[in-house]
Amino acid sequence: MGTIWFCLVAFMLAVYVFLDGFDLGAGAIHLFVAKTDEERRTVLASIGPVWDGNEVWLIAAGGTLYFAFPTLYASAFSGFYLPLMIVLWLLILRGASIEFRNHIRAPFGIRCGIFSSGDRAYCSPCFSERRLAT
């Protein structure tokens, strides 16, 4: 039974990594491939309908891990509490930056990077890979 649960958690994590790669890639390169604000909005609009649906796979994998392997879940989350919280906040800020970018028209907020998702797209995979490599 443990093998089935392990395969289910691995499948959910693999689907998250595969589907979220498009979101992270679009967020990371939109500052370089798009020259105008309208082009940047177009790149970010391409991930608009799917970015929050991809996070469901991560939440489902965490919930399945909690129910199937509570000891592993407890040891992983207590040992990697700070990196997991950083990843959580970066994912929240990435979603908020994508949503708020469509509502902010002030050039200051967009030019200084407060509401762009490029920096969060770079930071989130770095922390995720560090969490998995440690």
Side-chain angles (χ1 to χ4, degrees):
M1 191 62 149
T3 305
I4 294 171
W5 283 110
F6 176 78
C7 291
L8 184 64
V9 171
F11 173 75
M12 289 181 185
L13 286 175
V15 169
Y16 167 73
V17 168
F18 180 73
L19 293 177
D20 206 46
F22 170 68
D23 299 350
L24 293 174
I29 67 167
H30 90 280
L31 297 173
F32 303 110
V33 298
K35 303 298 181 211
T36 65
D37 185 53
E38 189 62 35
E39 290 175 350
R40 288 183 180 156
R41 288 182 188 277
T42 303
V43 171
L44 290 178
S46 68
I47 64 173
V50 295
W51 72 265
D52 53 350
N54 294 340
E55 306 305 324
V56 172
W57 288 103
L58 186 62
I59 294 168
T64 306
L65 186 66
Y66 175 74
F67 289 117
F69 306 106
T71 307
L72 175 66
Y73 181 86
S75 63
F77 275 72
S78 65
F80 296 113
Y81 185 76
L82 182 62
L84 288 172
M85 289 299 114
I86 291 172
V87 168
L88 175 68
W89 280 103
L90 287 172
L91 289 173
I92 291 169
L93 289 174
R94 181 179 63 152
S97 67
I98 291 171
E99 291 297 322
F100 284 136
R101 182 172 175 81
N102 295 328
H103 300 291
I104 300 292
R105 298 286 183 213
F108 173 74
I110 294 172
R111 285 209 180 103
C112 73
I114 292 173
F115 294 107
S116 83
S117 65
D119 51 348
R120 284 151 203 86
Y122 288 128
C123 293
S124 187
C126 294
F127 279 110
S128 296
E129 289 178 11
R130 179 167 303 263
R131 180 188 66 195
L132 294 174
T134 305

